[in-house]
């Protein structure tokens, strides 16, 4: 009898309650699945039914790149998930499969090329310096999430998008409500509607008065018939929300990781050229989200890791467990800045590989390099166990990061 022919009760459905975790602790449920049950069945707090959970590196790469696993087939199905709501609008690139997915990405791809992002670097560096100037004037102790890790990613993506400074507090509030499981479905859906209405109005203005920003690019795509207005709004919302929120939290996680690994921080101060490699290792090591993200649906019977997944069944893939797979990463639970072979999947894999990966790296590099240069005695201002973490969050990160220098 092959693995794929075993009886269904070989795969019991396990409820995954996804409780809040301390600091950067790795979810023990995920660790157990990776070690003992790499293709298993789970039920998450919201939605209906159960789903397969794929955890090993090669299996995750397979599921996230094989066209027989569809993102679009998720639409209209109350699949089991962590959030009480779906984050993207139905027209968003996150719910598309090629060739529609390719068409939607093409409309914004030029804003995320290396050349385009190089033009952002001086302004992002100035913004970081100004934010830290203000923090230094206030004096210690100070909350880095308030002074740097929150406002800098919001400013960078807003500048790229064309969102004026006076509207950014609203953007931050809408994003935080959407990207949390704790506000409830009604509040999250209302925040998404408010944000969609904002971008509908902004793109309408750009159609009448073009500007050289991402909103202008999306507006031009609608006037040229490349995107519908609903598609352009969905793309704008997804980029604005995910870029600001994800970089805010993951850069905060990076700073926290260095503050709690002082020998690693000291090494980066003495070897600043190591920073790009260190950022890749931090990206691999940090469990940047809770549970798993958007699922896929098998469009035909497919065997994954020796397990037969039937057509119509839902599959979640974990990039976090893939990054801890001992078959790929030596001593995967250690933070190792000498790790040279580091093919992590922190920005995804396949057609849905994160379009903003280079932007996230740029911002992380500016944040860490500037802190290391300007504050040689930077340290936590409170005991590590007192640092508060966001509750009911989809993307993990510190609520406050109190430091002194």
């Amino acid at each position: 009898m092959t693995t794929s022919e075993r009886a269904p009760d070989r795969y019991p459905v396990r409820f995954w309650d996804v409780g809040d975790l301390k600091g950067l602790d790795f979810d023990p449920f995920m660790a157990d699945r990776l070690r003992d049950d790499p293709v298993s069945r789970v039920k998450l707090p919201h939605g209906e039914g159960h789903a397969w959970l794929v955890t090993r590196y090669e299996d995750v790469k397979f599921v996230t790149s094989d066209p027989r696993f569809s993102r679009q087939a998720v639409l209209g199905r109350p699949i089991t998930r962590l959030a009480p709501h779906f984050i993207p609008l139905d027209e968003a690139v996150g719910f598309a499969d090629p060739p529609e997915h390719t068409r939607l990405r093409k409309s914004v791809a030029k804003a995320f090329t290396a050349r385009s992002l190089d033009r952002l670097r001086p302004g992002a560096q100035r913004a970081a310096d100004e934010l830290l100037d203000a923090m230094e004037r206030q004096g210690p102790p100070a909350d880095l999430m308030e002074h740097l890790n929150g406002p800098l990613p919001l400013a960078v993506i807003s500048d790229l998008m064309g969102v004026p400074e006076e509207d950014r507090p609203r953007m931050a509030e809408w994003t935080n409500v959407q990207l949390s499981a704790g506000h409830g479905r009604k509040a999250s859906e209302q925040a998404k509607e408010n944000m969609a209405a904002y971008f509908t109005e902004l793109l309408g203005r750009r159609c009448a008065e073009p500007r050289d920003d991402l909103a202008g690019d999306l507006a031009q795509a609608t006037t040229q018939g490349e995107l519908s207005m609903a598609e352009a709004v969905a793309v704008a919302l997804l980029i604005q929300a995910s870029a600001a929120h994800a970089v805010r939290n993951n850069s905060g996680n990076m700073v926290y990781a260095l503050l709690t690994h002082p020998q690693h921080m000291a090494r980066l101060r003495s070897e600043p050229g190591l920073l790009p490699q260190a950022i890749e290792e931090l990206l691999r090591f940090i469990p940047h989200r809770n549970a798993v993200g958007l699922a896929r649906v098998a469009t035909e019977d497919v065997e994954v890791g020796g397990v037969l997944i039937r057509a119509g069944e839902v599959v979640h893939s974990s990039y976090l467990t893939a990054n801890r797979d001992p078959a790929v990463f030596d001593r995967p639970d250690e933070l190792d800045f000498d790790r040279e072979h580091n093919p992590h999947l922190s920005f995804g894999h396949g057609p849905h590989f994160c379009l903003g990966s280079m932007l996230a790296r740029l911002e992380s590099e500016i944040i860490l390099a500037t802190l290391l240069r300007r504050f040689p005695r930077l340290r936590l201002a409170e005991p590590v166990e007192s640092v508060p973490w966001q509750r009911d969050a989809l993307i993990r990160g510190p609520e406050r990061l109190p430091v002194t220098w």
Side-chain angles (χ1 to χ4, degrees):
M1 179 182 291
T2 67
T3 304
S4 60
E5 292 170 339
R6 291 175 184 170
D9 59 7
R10 164 68 176 79
Y11 307 104
V13 177
R14 295 177 172 85
F15 180 66
W16 187 5
D17 60 359
V18 197
D20 291 317
L21 296 165
K22 179 182 178 182
L24 299 180
D25 289 352
F26 199 77
D27 189 328
F29 184 91
M30 283 185 165
D32 289 347
R33 300 285 75 70
L34 175 63
R35 183 185 63 246
D36 301 327
D37 205 3
V39 182
S40 58
R41 297 196 299 177
V42 299
K43 179 172 177 56
L44 287 153
H46 295 281
E48 299 176 6
H50 62 266
W52 292 99
L53 173 64
V54 176
T55 56
R56 289 186 300 203
Y57 185 91
E58 292 299 333
D59 293 340
V60 169
K61 285 180 66 178
F62 174 69
V63 168
T64 54
S65 60
D66 191 290
R68 293 172 293 179
F69 294 99
S70 168
R71 278 273 185 87
Q72 192 165 357
V74 169
L75 282 172
R77 295 186 56 169
I79 63 169
T80 188
R81 59 190 184 273
L82 175 59
H85 56 286
F86 285 121
I87 303 302
L89 294 170
D90 288 355
E91 298 83 4
V93 65
F95 280 127
D97 297 326
E100 284 296 290
H101 175 266
T102 308
R103 177 179 64 85
L104 292 169
R105 278 178 72 109
K106 183 180 178 182
S107 63
V108 295
K110 69 178 183 180
F112 294 96
T113 63
R115 180 177 296 179
S116 297
L117 295 179
D118 281 344
R119 292 199 295 267
L120 284 177
R121 181 182 288 272
Q125 184 63 64
R126 282 194 302 274
D129 288 333
E130 290 169 2
L131 289 165
L132 290 176
D133 287 345
M135 185 179 86
E136 203 163 12
R137 285 194 299 271
Q138 175 186 293
D143 175 14
L144 276 179
M145 302 308 291
E146 175 188 349
H147 287 278
L148 180 64
N149 296 84
L152 183 66
L154 178 62
V156 170
I157 192 60
S158 296
D159 285 343
L160 183 65
M161 182 67 70
V163 174
E165 191 167 348
E166 62 269 19
D167 293 338
R168 294 174 190 179
R170 284 192 292 167
M171 283 290 160
E173 180 182 355
W174 291 333
T175 297
N176 290 338
V177 172
Q178 288 181 76
L179 294 174
S180 169
H183 291 279
R185 183 187 184 98
K186 184 176 180 181
S188 298
E189 293 290 353
Q190 185 62 58
K192 186 160 65 172
E193 288 178 15
N194 292 341
M195 205 165 174
Y198 177 92
F199 279 118
T200 300
E201 194 272 336
L202 178 63
L203 267 58
R205 293 205 310 270
R206 291 294 189 272
C207 288
E209 301 175 5
R211 289 189 188 178
D212 186 18
D213 52 34
L214 187 49
D217 293 343
L218 289 167
Q220 183 181 32
T222 66
T223 59
Q224 294 177 348
E226 298 169 2
L227 295 178
S228 69
M229 180 58 76
E231 289 171 336
V233 166
V235 169
L237 187 153
L238 186 62
I239 290 174
Q240 175 76 33
S242 59
H245 193 77
V247 177
R248 172 197 188 277
N249 287 296
N250 216 27
S251 66
N253 290 333
M254 288 182 180
V255 177
Y256 175 86
L258 293 180
L259 291 169
T260 53
H261 292 77
Q263 70 279 17
H264 290 71
M265 179 178 275
R267 187 173 177 199
L268 287 181
R269 286 202 177 97
S270 64
E271 301 177 51
L274 186 63
L275 184 57
Q277 185 170 311
I279 286 174
E280 295 307 308
E281 174 65 354
L282 288 163
L283 286 166
R284 183 203 67 84
F285 175 79
I286 289 168
H288 66 279
R289 67 163 298 123
N290 285 316
V292 283
L294 193 60
R296 290 168 173 81
V297 174
T299 58
E300 58 183 82
D301 292 359
V302 188
E303 189 167 302
V304 179
V307 177
L308 184 64
I309 294 177
R310 300 285 187 183
E313 291 185 327
V314 177
V315 185
H316 281 291
S317 302
S318 173
Y319 294 124
L320 272 62
T321 54
N323 286 344
R324 298 291 182 107
D325 189 338
V328 178
F329 303 99
D330 185 37
R331 295 172 288 103
D333 296 325
E334 293 183 20
L335 182 63
D336 180 7
F337 288 170
D338 291 315
R339 193 185 303 276
E340 295 183 356
H341 178 67
N342 190 2
H344 66 76
L345 302 182
S346 298
F347 292 113
H349 181 69
H352 288 272
F353 182 85
C354 178
L355 193 63
S357 61
M358 288 194 295
L359 177 61
R361 287 182 170 103
L362 181 150
E363 293 176 79
S364 298
E365 182 179 333
I366 287 173
I367 287 170
L368 295 185
T370 308
L371 283 173
L372 290 168
R373 183 180 69 252
R374 293 188 53 163
F375 299 96
R377 298 183 62 199
L378 189 73
R379 60 196 184 277
L380 284 173
E382 298 177 7
V384 64
E385 60 271 14
S386 299
V387 176
W389 291 75
Q390 295 182 66
R391 300 178 61 83
D392 299 315
L394 306 182
I395 306 297
R396 288 177 64 178
E399 183 177 316
R400 292 188 302 106
L401 196 51
V403 295
T404 187
W405 54 91

